[in-house]
Amino acid sequence: KYARLHRGQHGTVQPFSDEDASIETLSHCSSFSDATSVADEGGEASEDAAQEDFQYKLKGFIDSTVDKSAKTRQGALDGLKTAMATRILYEFISERRMTITDSIERCLKKGKGDEQRAAASLACLLCIQLGSGIESEEVFKTLKPIFKNILADGSANIQARQAVATSLGLCTLVAEDDIWDVHATMECFENLFTRSYARADGTCPSINPQTSQLHTNALLSWALLLTICTANQLKDILRKHLSKLQRLLESDDVNMRIAAGETIALLFELARDMDPFEFDDWDDLCDKLNALATDCNKHRAKTDKRKQRSVFRDVLKAVEEGDFQSETIRFGTERMTIDSWVRKRTYDAFREFVGSGMNYHLQANEFIRDVFELGPPMLVDSATMKAMKISRFERHLHNSAAFKARTKARSKFRDKRVDVGEF
C-alpha cells in the first residue's frame, strides 16, 4: 500500500507539420532527446526554443487525433504515447486533459483494433502523467464505462479487448477513488480469466491463443488490484480463489501458467500478513509447482520450458518458504530493490506502458517515485550531472522537481478507500 500523490512537472518537443502527421510515429519521436541536446549546446535561448517546438508538435498530435484519416489518427496517438512515456509533461497535459480524454473516448468508440489499442494505452499514460488525484479521477470516470463495455463485448476486436484488459487495471490502480468500485472492476476480470480454469476432470477448455492472451491480461490486472485491496476483501478473495487458481496451472498457454503462478505467489505473500492463514491444499499445490519448475515435457517448446522453470522455481520458494528473489534496478545515481511480489507486479505494470522510459520516470515522475517510496526527486550536483552526460533541460527538470513539490493531498488511505469494517 502506498500514498498516492499528484504533483506537477513539465517537459519539451520538436516541430510538427500537417504533412508528416501520417508518417510512422517513431520517426517523429526518435529525436525527442535531440531537442534537449541542442538546448544543452545553445544555452537558454535554444532551450526555450526547443520547448516551444516540442509543445508545438504535441499540439499537432492532439489536433490530429480527430483527423478523418485513420492512419493520421493512429500516428497522432502513437506520438502522444511516445512523448508521455519519455517525458514528464504534467503542466502541458493538465491544461488539455479533457481535450485528450475526448479524443481517447472517440478513438475507443469509433476506431478499429490498432487505433483502439493505442487509445487504451494512451489513457493509461495520461493517468500516469496526472498522478493520483481529482484530475485523473475525472479522466477515468469518463473512460471506465467504455473500457468495461469493450471488455465484456465478445464481438469487439480481440486485440482491443486485450489492451483494455491491461489498461483498465492500471487506470483503476492510479485513478479509482472508491475501493468498492475497485472490487467491481476485479469481478469484470474474474468473469474472463475463470473461463480458462481446467474442468473438474482435469481437462482444459478449448481456447484459441488470442482469447487466452485476453484471459492472461485480465488475470494480471486482477493481481495488480490485489495490492490495494483491504484486509477484509483479501480474506474473501483468498477463500474464493486461492484453491481455484491452481486450475490455471494446467493451461496449455505458457504465459497463462506463468501469470497464474506469479498470482498465487502474490496471494501467499499477502496472506502471510494476515493471521491466521490456513490453506488445505498445500501439498497438492507444491507438487504442481514443483512439476512445472522441473517440466521436461517434450511437446513443449524449449524456450517456453526454460522460462517456465525459472519462474516456477521462484514461485515454489515463495509458497514453501515465503522467499522472494530480489532484484536491484539502477537509474541515474539511485537504485531501487524489487523485494516482494507486490512490488514486482506493480513495477511490471508501469513498465509495460512507459517501456524504456521507466528509468526516467523513476528519476523524475513524482507520482511513480511515491508509489515506490523513493521520496522526492533527488537534487544531483552539477559535477555528477556532467559525468552522467545529462542535458541542461534534464538538469532543469531535476532541480525544479526537487524544489517545487507541488503536492495535492493524498493520504495513504483515502477516506473512500478505507474498509469501514476493519475499525
Side-chain angles (χ1 to χ4, degrees):
K1 310 303 188 299
Y2 38 77
R4 312 304 184 75
L5 301 182
H6 169 205
R7 305 176 174 96
Q9 303 136 355
H10 31 259
T12 86
V13 210
Q14 17 166 316
F16 175 92
S17 66
D18 291 336
E19 296 124 44
D20 62 17
S22 62
I23 300 174
E24 180 129 3
T25 307
L26 287 180
S27 66
H28 284 319
C29 303
S30 61
S31 54
F32 279 166
S33 58
D34 295 345
T36 55
S37 63
V38 169
D40 196 36
E41 295 167 6
E44 296 296 335
S46 296
E47 182 179 317
D48 291 342
Q51 269 187 296
E52 289 177 9
D53 287 345
F54 188 50
Q55 291 186 0
Y56 177 71
K57 187 168 185 178
L58 285 184
K59 290 173 186 174
F61 284 145
I62 293 171
D63 292 342
S64 293
T65 57
V66 295
D67 195 271
K68 290 183 179 179
S69 164
K71 188 177 181 181
T72 300
R73 293 195 304 272
Q74 178 78 42
L77 292 168
D78 287 339
L80 289 170
K81 280 171 55 185
T82 304
M84 291 189 198
T86 55
R87 286 287 179 267
I88 306 301
L89 302 168
Y90 171 77
E91 300 291 352
F92 179 89
I93 288 170
S94 179
E95 296 170 1
R96 299 165 177 82
R97 68 184 184 281
M98 296 318 296
T99 302
I100 298 172
T101 303
D102 289 345
S103 294
I104 293 171
E105 180 180 8
R106 190 179 298 106
C107 292
L108 284 171
K109 285 181 174 179
K110 298 184 178 180
K112 302 300 181 185
D114 287 342
E115 187 177 335
Q116 290 176 303
R117 289 170 64 189
S121 296
L122 182 59
C124 252
L125 288 162
L126 179 59
C127 287
I128 290 171
Q129 288 279 343
L130 293 173
S132 194
I134 190 67
E135 292 172 323
S136 60
E137 287 170 12
E138 288 175 353
V139 169
F140 188 49
K141 280 176 182 174
T142 300
L143 299 177
K144 181 169 68 170
I146 304 165
F147 278 164
K148 289 192 172 182
N149 285 342
I150 293 172
L151 197 62
D153 184 359
S155 63
N157 180 276
I158 189 67
Q159 284 87 7
R161 295 178 74 201
Q162 291 168 358
V164 164
T166 302
S167 295
L168 178 59
L170 189 56
C171 284
T172 301
L173 182 86
V174 176
E176 185 58 83
D177 65 349
D178 189 328
I179 192 65
W180 300 112
D181 287 339
V182 172
H183 189 65
T185 297
M186 292 178 74
E187 288 181 341
C188 293
F189 294 136
E190 290 167 15
N191 289 337
L192 292 173
F193 71 74
T194 53
R195 297 176 190 177
S196 284
Y197 280 172
R199 301 184 185 94
D201 61 3
T203 60
C204 294
S206 179
I207 295 173
N208 65 54
Q210 293 286 357
T211 302
S212 182
Q213 186 61 56
L214 169 63
H215 294 176
T216 301
N217 291 2
L219 176 62
L220 289 171
S221 286
W222 184 80
L224 178 66
L225 297 182
L226 286 174
T227 66
I228 58 171
C229 284
T230 64
N232 282 349
Q233 285 177 317
L234 280 173
K235 287 176 185 175
D236 189 46
I237 288 167
L238 285 165
R239 180 177 53 80
K240 286 182 181 177
H241 292 284
L242 187 53
S243 59
K244 293 180 182 178
L245 280 170
Q246 295 181 56
R247 299 183 194 174
L248 294 176
L249 300 174
E250 311 293 333
S251 172
D252 294 329
D253 182 347
V254 64
N255 292 322
M256 174 57 90
R257 293 196 299 274
I258 288 172
E262 292 184 339
T263 301
I264 289 169
L266 173 63
L267 272 172
F268 267 84
E269 182 177 273
L270 293 168
R272 283 192 169 98
D273 290 336
M274 297 185 292
D275 189 39
F277 168 58
E278 295 179 1
F279 183 60
D280 296 333
D281 298 327
W282 193 287
D283 291 338
D284 185 40
L285 173 60
C286 289
D287 287 344
K288 287 181 181 177
L289 295 176
N290 187 59
L292 290 166
T294 57
D295 191 358
C296 295
N297 282 343
K298 291 182 178 179
H299 69 279
R300 286 178 180 158
K302 285 185 179 179
T303 52
D304 285 355
K305 284 189 286 188
R306 213 168 17 244
K307 182 180 177 184
Q308 174 184 289
R309 287 197 292 258
S310 174
V311 170
F312 277 95
R313 282 195 293 269
D314 292 339
V315 172
L316 185 59
K317 285 181 183 177
V319 172
E320 287 184 333
E321 306 165 23
D323 190 26
F324 180 82
Q325 187 68 39
S326 62
E327 176 187 0
T328 299
I329 308 294
R330 290 178 175 83
F331 48 98
T333 60
E334 299 176 82
R335 63 180 62 189
M336 174 181 75
T337 303
I338 306 294
D339 56 3
S340 67
W341 290 97
V342 167
R343 184 167 272 213
K344 181 183 186 301
R345 178 80 285 273
T346 307
Y347 177 82
D348 288 347
F350 281 108
R351 188 180 58 179
E352 182 160 354
F353 288 94
V354 300
S356 61
M358 187 64 185
N359 283 1
Y360 180 82
H361 279 270
L362 284 170
Q363 284 179 274
N365 185 315
E366 296 183 26
F367 166 65
I368 286 185
R369 287 183 67 85
D370 185 64
V371 166
F372 293 104
E373 300 175 333
L374 296 170
M378 286 180 61
L379 178 61
V380 182
D381 62 65
S382 57
T384 306
M385 285 285 191
K386 190 173 181 181
M388 291 165 59
K389 296 183 178 178
I390 290 180
S391 73
R392 179 190 300 271
F393 179 69
E394 287 176 292
R395 289 199 296 273
H396 168 71
L397 277 184
H398 278 278
N399 294 342
S400 64
F403 284 116
K404 293 169 58 180
R406 298 178 65 255
T407 327
K408 272 194 177 178
R410 241 353 180 210
S411 61
K412 184 165 284 191
F413 293 102
R414 291 179 290 183
D415 289 346
K416 289 184 180 179
R417 284 195 170 174
V418 173
D419 185 352
V420 178
E422 292 181 23
F423 289 88

